[in-house]
Amino acid sequence: MTQGITLGTIQRPPGPPLTPGPIFFGTSSELTIVTELYHLTAQELATKLQAREISAEEVCHSFLQQIDRSESSVNAFITVTREAALVQAREIDRRRLNDERLPGLAGVPIAVKDNIVTKDTRTTCASRMLEEWKPVYDATVVGCLQAHDIVTLGKANLDEFAMGSTCENSAFNPTYNPWNLSRVPGGSSGGSAAAVAAGEAPWALGSDTGGSIRQPAAFCGLVGMKPTYGRVSRYGLVAFASSLDQIGPLSWTVTDNALLLNVIAGADPRDSTSTSSQTPDFTADIQTGIRGLRIGIIQELMGEGIDSEVRGAVEGAVKQLEALGAKTVPVNLPRTAVAVPTYYVIAAAEASSNLARFDGVRYGSAAPQPKDLIDLYTRTRALFGNEVKRRIMLGTYTLAAGYYDAYYKKAQNVRQLIGSDFARAWESCDILLSPTVPTTAFRVGEMMTDPLAMYLADIATVPVNLAGLPAVSLPCGQDSDGMPIGLQLIGQRLDEMTLYRAAYAYEQATEHHRRRPAEYFSPGD
């Protein structure tokens, strides 16, 4: 494996030197050094590309070959843009050979969640409603990737219209967890997470409305960042719940994650909710350590309802952070118990409003030869899956006359109270800590007949979206079945840098980020 990091003098993405180290396969303690290109992190690939040790086309081929090997079992992608990726990679190689000035990450591949629009490449939102839709423009974040010559490998699977926590609600078949194919990868960004965990991409973009980046990151042993609301433009993200949605990165390492957030973050005049605050370099202070950092342990998320193995791993992480010099204090967020119903009222109401446009007239596949307008609407909207229909009906009900004040308005009031709980917590601590999810990955089919249980599993993640705060999930252990366990760190508004600093310190002190699913990262495969 690469023993150092030098991103050269060509628009160098700043960051710490690479810490050399082997990869663990599965739950084995045996160390194995790997050399396959698809085994490398984005940072390692960037190093080799700039040193001209490898070509962008070679990198692209390595990941496309891994996609060919893995997709029949994982199903992480809806669309693989094979030819377009190879054309882009060859053009990058040509420019590099001509000594043209290239961005530091030029030639590194990526997977993009299929609710982020891509010009002339179908964007389905995993729905029959948009099965053949090819947008005429790119999302802002896709434009950012192109400006940095990051090669898009394809569009990743998700729960339909990002509604779900298992990636089973896709019209194009479920995605499976590379760590154990009998488990789900999480959702709704399950395809993005599974693509990275199976070695099909070194990193990916997802979207997070109530935990849809962090939960699959936890289930697949990855780093997943939900940035501050407004930190990343939502222009070109097909809306689920507009006041909650946020695009963010998934990766194997904290440094990779910060590098990708550097690429996509920033103000956007096409998104009125994007922040005008200056975007920092998220890797700049990542190595400064956490001595004296005050970490609040959320008491409501460390007791009843949290799996014992998950709680044990998180408690071990707390001890490790203390050993690194952090100060931990117990913190109470008293409205945690009502965060889930508050979230599902608000999210469903906004989903009902946003999805009203898919009527076969303005957007969506129209039913053929309708008898009248009502017939057109009825038959067109039958294309929605069950989970989407469930949330539309719930949202429409809460917005109906006579129920608006009782449900939606009250939920918005509680949302403000949840924000005030966080505000009080910041008086005594710098960041907050909890499990990302109360359990490890669900078994396939386990939650499909009990949507309420699936909703309640979001208890640790949805408060963050309601308050518009940043949060990161990173691996902190494995359960007795070898499934990854996620640790969640929550930061103050626009303070992703402190989260990355704490996550990096913990990552470098442990080996969890080096573990890979053996079936997809076997030596010499």
Side-chain angles (χ1 to χ4, degrees):
M1 185 174 282
T2 307
Q3 295 300 302
I5 183 75
T6 304
L7 289 175
T9 58
I10 304 175
Q11 297 184 11
R12 178 187 184 277
L18 175 69
T19 301
I23 286 177
F24 291 92
F25 292 108
T27 59
S28 171
S29 60
E30 181 181 352
L31 300 180
T32 308
I33 303 284
V34 295
T35 56
E36 296 287 346
L37 292 181
Y38 77 88
H39 290 164
L40 302 179
T41 67
Q43 189 185 30
E44 292 166 346
L45 289 167
T47 302
K48 289 180 173 290
L49 283 162
Q50 287 215 15
R52 301 189 184 185
E53 296 176 23
I54 55 176
S55 70
E57 185 175 0
E58 287 176 315
V59 173
C60 191
H61 270 300
S62 179
F63 283 97
L64 288 171
Q65 287 169 0
Q66 180 65 355
I67 289 171
D68 290 341
R69 286 189 290 263
S70 306
E71 272 300 274
S72 61
S73 58
V74 176
N75 194 41
F77 284 92
I78 292 175
T79 302
V80 177
T81 53
R82 182 182 308 272
E83 292 306 317
L86 287 170
V87 167
Q88 186 181 1
R90 289 167 187 149
E91 175 62 14
I92 291 167
D93 287 337
R94 183 194 66 78
R95 291 165 59 199
R96 182 169 277 125
L97 286 173
N98 289 337
D99 293 323
E100 292 186 29
R101 190 175 181 84
L102 291 176
L105 296 169
V108 178
I110 194 168
V112 176
K113 188 175 179 180
D114 201 23
N115 62 343
I116 299 171
V117 305
T118 43
K119 184 179 180 181
D120 298 329
T121 300
R122 68 174 186 155
T123 299
T124 70
C125 294
S127 178
R128 296 297 178 193
M129 181 67 75
L130 295 173
E131 186 169 1
E132 298 301 330
W133 182 48
K134 292 184 178 180
V136 296
Y137 69 100
D138 283 317
T140 294
V141 293
V142 173
C144 293
L145 298 179
Q146 293 171 349
H148 285 77
D149 288 319
I150 295 173
V151 177
T152 300
L153 295 169
K155 306 300 289 294
N157 201 9
L158 65 150
D159 289 293
E160 184 180 6
F161 282 101
M163 298 180 191
S165 300
T166 65
C167 214
E168 294 173 283
N169 294 312
S170 170
F172 305 105
N173 298 316
T175 296
Y176 299 94
N177 194 318
W179 288 91
N180 185 329
L181 296 176
S182 70
R183 305 292 186 99
V184 302
S188 62
S189 304
S192 295
V196 178
E200 297 178 338
W203 52 13
L205 288 184
S207 67
D208 193 311
T209 305
S212 290
I213 289 173
R214 289 160 290 154
Q215 188 243 36
F219 282 2
C220 292
L222 305 175
V223 179
M225 168 64 82
K226 181 265 169 192
T228 302
Y229 182 79
R231 174 67 88 182
V232 178
S233 173
R234 292 185 299 109
Y235 179 79
L237 173 67
V238 178
F240 165 13
S242 302
S243 73
L244 301 164
D245 298 337
Q246 187 64 98
I247 296 170
L250 292 118
S251 61
W252 281 116
T253 69
V254 173
T255 300
D256 276 5
N257 206 275
L259 285 169
L260 187 50
L261 188 56
N262 277 347
V263 170
I264 63 173
D268 181 6
R270 294 173 294 184
D271 176 8
S272 61
T273 63
S274 71
T275 179
S276 59
S277 300
Q278 185 174 359
T279 303
D281 172 7
F282 296 106
T283 67
D285 297 323
I286 206 167
Q287 288 188 94
T288 56
I290 58 171
R291 185 162 301 281
L293 187 73
R294 300 172 302 166
I295 302 177
I297 314 301
I298 303 174
Q299 300 303 291
E300 289 81 0
L301 297 175
M302 292 295 289
E304 185 179 356
I306 307 300
D307 177 83
S308 59
E309 289 186 289
V310 171
R311 185 169 57 250
V314 173
E315 289 172 346
V318 170
K319 292 178 181 177
Q320 180 64 66
L321 290 164
E322 290 173 340
L324 293 169
K327 299 177 180 179
T328 60
V329 295
V331 170
N332 291 107
L333 299 179
R335 274 90 175 192
T336 298
V338 296
V340 170
T342 300
Y343 167 82
Y344 276 97
V345 168
I346 293 172
E350 294 186 12
S352 173
S353 177
N354 280 322
L355 270 63
R357 73 193 71 177
F358 297 101
D359 54 14
V361 178
R362 292 168 291 181
Y363 294 94
S365 301
Q369 299 179 334
K371 298 176 183 178
D372 51 35
L373 190 61
I374 297 301
D375 183 50
L376 172 64
Y377 286 172
T378 302
R379 290 168 55 206
T380 294
R381 288 173 175 167
L383 293 171
F384 285 131
N386 289 337
E387 183 62 27
V388 173
K389 292 176 183 176
R390 182 183 294 119
R391 298 198 192 195
I392 290 173
M393 290 192 298
L394 175 61
T396 303
Y397 178 85
T398 61
L399 291 174
Y403 299 102
Y404 178 90
D405 288 345
Y407 295 105
Y408 183 74
K409 185 177 180 181
K410 184 175 290 184
Q412 291 287 16
N413 290 337
V414 175
R415 182 181 193 171
Q416 295 299 315
L417 295 174
I418 290 170
S420 67
D421 285 348
F422 279 107
R424 278 191 292 274
W426 303 133
E427 296 173 3
S428 60
C429 57
D430 302 305
I431 64 173
L432 299 173
L433 179 150
S434 77
T436 307
V437 194
T439 66
T440 51
F442 318 133
R443 296 190 181 279
V444 172
E446 183 179 357
M447 294 294 182
M448 295 303 287
T449 58
D450 191 354
L452 182 58
M454 181 175 70
Y455 298 166
L456 292 173
D458 295 336
I459 188 169
T461 55
V462 297
V464 173
N465 297 76
L466 290 169
L469 301 174
V472 64
S473 177
L474 65 158
C476 68
Q478 294 178 321
D479 68 10
S480 55
D481 292 326
M483 298 306 296
I485 296 171
L487 170 71
Q488 178 176 234
L489 303 176
I490 305 169
Q492 300 184 48
R493 186 175 180 275
L494 298 174
D495 193 18
E496 290 86 357
M497 291 184 70
T498 299
L499 291 181
Y500 279 135
R501 183 159 57 92
Y504 180 81
Y506 176 77
E507 177 185 84
Q508 295 303 300
T510 62
E511 297 290 347
H512 305 304
H513 65 292
R514 301 195 194 280
R515 298 191 180 278
R516 304 287 189 271
E519 184 173 349
Y520 298 95
F521 285 84
S522 296
D525 60 357

